[in-house]
């Protein structure tokens, strides 16, 4: 009698080991399935898709409810106020001065003096131009902050959308696995009824089915959690129409870097404006004076007085210290964002390329796994292979299918991240 080849004996031994392991594992799977309990209404409720809703509309809905609108409005208002100040002819708010002198309580010779005038702060040389440059920097910075805010919201919406899509795909895969192992359990029961399989194989098949049902429950919980995050972000109780983003042309724009550069320009403009103030604003006093004295005609005169602050360099440098610190900090942030921009563009491009290759490889593996699965199912129905070998094939096919579908989701998310890094909004 000829002995079977060594490879056949090894394969048969592997199948026996897997069969024994799955048989021992099935009671634990049954206990886990019993502990999982029933699903809540939120976890089991289907997620609706509005075919008329686009990702751009969901993004705009998220922008409308995103925190930060009050700060952006305050920045725009502050920039407008600074621009209005730079157009003013004086450097600050004027004041009224009143002065009255009388000798009624002393010599009583009938001498009185009264004076009224306006105290006007004046622009120093170059101060008004520096104020105008600061106002322009504030306006540009406010616009960049708005774009950066929308960019951040767009990134959050994209990530949340693809997280929900991935969770939906995982749940669909879990349901397919449950259906496949229910069919396997039915095949095993038919073979047992026909006397072609041991009754113990039913326990193994049932344990595998219960394990898939537990995985389906976990997928439903994950989907419910991620969809709750989508609702909190966008305020929408539906998903937009499924759409795949097109890969945008690569550019060197990076909105965090633009925002950092705008902040640095504002800090430099504020420092320049602070330096232009010097020791303080000159002040011009314009007024009229009326003098009276008994026995003499009244005298009316026009008064003009100019005050020019000077010196005080130590005081000016101390006042400029916070502005210098802010400008230095802003320059460091720009340097950091430049490095981050290079890394972000490289990582986005590298991830997209890697996901393209992974998607191609996963498709090839899935095709092979499906062919192997069809042959294995037929061989098991004919009694040519044991249950353990079919289980291995079922597991490989399920994993190949899962890898392919999740690779497709990962590739679509990589395109969205690539567009996000390049500043392309949904």
């Amino acid at each position: 009698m000829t002995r079977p080849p060594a490879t056949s004996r090894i394969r048969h031994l592997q199948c026996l080991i897997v069969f024994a392991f799955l048989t021992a594992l099935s009671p634990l799977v049954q206990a886990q399935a019993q502990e999982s309990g029933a699903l809540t209404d939120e976890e089991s409720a289907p997620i609706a898709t509005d075919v008329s809703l686009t990702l751009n509309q969901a993004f705009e809905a998220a922008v409308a409810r995103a925190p930060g609108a009050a700060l952006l409005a305050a920045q725009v208002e502050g920039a407008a106020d600074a621009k209005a100040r730079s157009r003013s002819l004086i450097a600050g708010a004027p004041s009224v001065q009143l002065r009255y002198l009388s000798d009624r309580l002393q010599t009583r010779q009938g001498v009185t003096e009264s004076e009224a005038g306006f105290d006007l702060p004046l622009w120093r040389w170059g101060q008004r131009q520096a104020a105008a440059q600061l106002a322009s920097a504030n306006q540009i910075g406010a616009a960049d902050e708005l774009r950066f805010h929308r960019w951040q919201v767009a990134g959050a919406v994209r990530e949340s959308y693809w997280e929900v899509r991935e969770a939906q795909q995982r749940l669909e895969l879990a349901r397919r696995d449950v259906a496949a192992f229910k069919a396997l359990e039915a095949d095993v029961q038919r073979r047992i009824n026909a006397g072609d399989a041991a009754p113990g194989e039913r326990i193994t098949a049932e344990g595998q089915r219960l394990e898939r049902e537990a995985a389906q429950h976990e997928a439903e919980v994950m989907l419910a959690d991620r969809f709750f995050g989508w609702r909190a972000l966008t305020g929408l109780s539906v998903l937009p129409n499924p759409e795949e983003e097109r890969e945008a042309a690569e550019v060197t724009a990076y909105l965090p870097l633009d925002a950092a550069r705008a902040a640095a320009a504002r800090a430099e403009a504020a420092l320049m404006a602070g330096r232009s103030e010097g020791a303080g604003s000159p002040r011009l006093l314009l007024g009229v004076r009326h003098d009276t004295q008994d026995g003499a005609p009244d005298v009316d005169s026009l008064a003009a007085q100019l005050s020019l602050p000077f010196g005080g360099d130590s005081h000016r440098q101390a006042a400029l210290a916070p502005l210098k610190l802010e400008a230095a900090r802003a320059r460091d942030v720009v340097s950091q964002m430049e490095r981050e921009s290079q890394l972000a563009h490289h990582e986005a491009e590298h991830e997209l390329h890697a996901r393209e290759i992974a998607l191609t490889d996963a498709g090839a593996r899935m095709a092979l796994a499906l062919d192997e699965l069809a042959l294995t199912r037929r061989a098991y129905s004919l009694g040519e292979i044991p249950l353990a070998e079919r289980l291995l094939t079922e597991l490989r096919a399920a994993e190949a299918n899962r890898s392919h579908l999740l690779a497709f989701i990962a590739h679509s998310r990589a395109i969205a991240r690539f567009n996000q890094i390049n500043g392309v909004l949904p």
Side-chain angles (χ1 to χ4, degrees):
M1 179 177 180
T2 59
R3 299 179 61 186
T7 56
S8 177
R9 294 197 305 272
I10 293 175
R11 186 178 182 87
H12 181 68
L13 180 60
Q14 289 176 344
C15 293
L16 291 177
I17 293 174
V18 172
F19 179 78
F21 174 75
L22 294 177
T23 304
L25 185 64
S26 60
L28 299 177
V29 175
Q30 293 177 3
Q32 181 181 3
Q34 293 174 358
E35 292 176 357
S36 62
L39 296 175
T40 64
D41 293 338
E42 182 183 15
E43 293 168 354
S44 60
I47 298 177
T49 298
D50 188 353
V51 295
S52 64
L53 180 67
T54 64
L55 188 60
N56 177 265
Q57 292 173 334
F59 159 64
E60 294 295 343
V63 170
R65 59 186 281 115
L71 178 59
L72 293 172
Q75 289 177 342
V76 172
E77 184 179 359
D81 294 339
K83 194 67 175 179
R85 178 178 180 267
S86 66
R87 297 192 187 102
S88 177
L89 297 178
I90 56 178
S95 59
V96 177
Q97 290 195 3
L98 300 175
R99 181 169 173 265
Y100 177 77
L101 297 176
S102 175
D103 66 346
R104 182 175 300 175
L105 298 179
Q106 288 84 21
T107 60
R108 297 184 179 181
Q109 295 180 1
V111 178
T112 61
E113 295 179 5
S114 58
E115 185 176 356
F118 291 95
D119 188 13
L120 306 175
L122 304 179
W123 295 105
R124 296 181 69 91
W125 182 263
Q127 185 182 4
R128 188 180 183 187
Q129 181 181 2
Q133 292 176 352
L134 176 59
S136 298
N138 287 337
Q139 288 180 329
I140 296 174
D144 285 339
E145 285 292 338
L146 177 59
R147 287 195 296 270
F148 181 58
H149 172 71
R150 290 175 59 84
W151 181 81
Q152 286 181 311
V153 175
V157 170
R158 276 175 164 142
E159 288 296 325
S160 179
Y161 172 72
W162 286 110
E163 283 180 354
V164 175
R165 287 283 302 275
E166 180 185 1
Q168 284 182 314
Q169 189 64 75
R170 289 185 180 276
L171 177 57
E172 178 62 26
L173 288 169
R175 288 171 176 170
R176 292 182 185 179
D177 288 346
V178 170
F181 278 87
K182 282 183 177 179
L184 172 62
E185 189 177 5
D187 290 345
V188 171
Q189 189 62 45
R190 281 194 297 269
R191 290 193 61 182
I192 293 175
N193 295 338
D196 296 333
E201 292 188 357
R202 181 188 61 80
I203 300 177
T204 302
E206 183 181 0
Q208 288 295 305
R209 188 255 305 166
L210 291 175
E211 182 178 355
R212 298 311 179 276
E213 289 179 348
Q216 177 180 337
H217 171 75
E218 294 298 327
E220 289 171 338
V221 172
M222 177 185 293
L223 177 58
D225 290 341
R226 292 186 174 181
F227 188 63
F228 180 82
W230 168 265
R231 293 203 310 267
L233 178 63
T234 63
L236 302 174
S237 58
V238 295
L239 284 178
N241 186 35
E243 56 183 87
E244 309 299 332
E245 293 191 38
R246 294 183 179 181
E247 180 181 342
E250 184 178 7
V251 295
T252 57
Y254 188 59
L255 289 182
L257 176 58
D258 294 341
R261 286 172 176 170
R266 289 199 306 271
E268 294 292 345
L271 178 59
M272 183 181 298
R275 286 172 174 168
S276 65
E277 293 180 2
S281 299
R283 307 190 73 87
L284 176 63
L285 176 61
L286 297 176
V288 293
R289 179 175 178 178
H290 181 73
D291 296 329
T292 61
Q293 186 175 1
D294 292 343
D298 294 348
V299 178
D300 294 324
S301 58
L302 178 65
Q305 180 180 339
L306 180 63
S307 299
L308 295 174
F310 67 95
D313 184 68
S314 60
H315 299 288
R316 292 200 305 271
Q317 295 303 321
L320 291 175
L323 298 178
K324 292 180 180 179
L325 182 63
E326 186 63 27
R329 183 183 293 111
R331 289 193 295 268
D332 287 341
V333 172
V334 170
S335 299
Q336 179 183 353
M337 287 297 106
E338 288 176 347
R339 180 181 303 176
E340 183 178 311
S341 175
Q342 295 176 354
L343 292 176
H345 280 88
H346 171 73
E347 290 177 0
E349 183 179 1
H350 179 73
E351 180 185 9
L352 180 57
H353 180 66
R355 296 305 178 188
E356 290 174 352
I357 297 177
L359 180 59
T360 302
D361 294 342
R365 291 197 304 271
M366 186 188 70
L368 291 176
L370 292 179
D371 292 341
E372 181 187 17
L373 180 62
L375 294 175
T376 302
R377 287 177 175 176
R378 185 173 182 275
Y380 179 76
S381 64
L382 297 175
E384 297 177 353
I385 60 174
L387 174 62
E389 187 170 348
R390 175 169 175 183
L391 286 177
L392 289 175
T393 306
E394 292 280 355
L395 293 174
R396 283 197 298 268
E399 182 60 29
N401 187 34
R402 179 180 294 103
S403 298
H404 179 258
L405 293 177
L406 293 181
F408 180 78
I409 295 291
H411 178 256
S412 300
R413 177 184 286 183
I415 294 177
R417 288 175 175 173
F418 181 83
N419 294 342
Q420 176 73 16
I421 290 300
N422 286 278
V424 180
L425 301 184

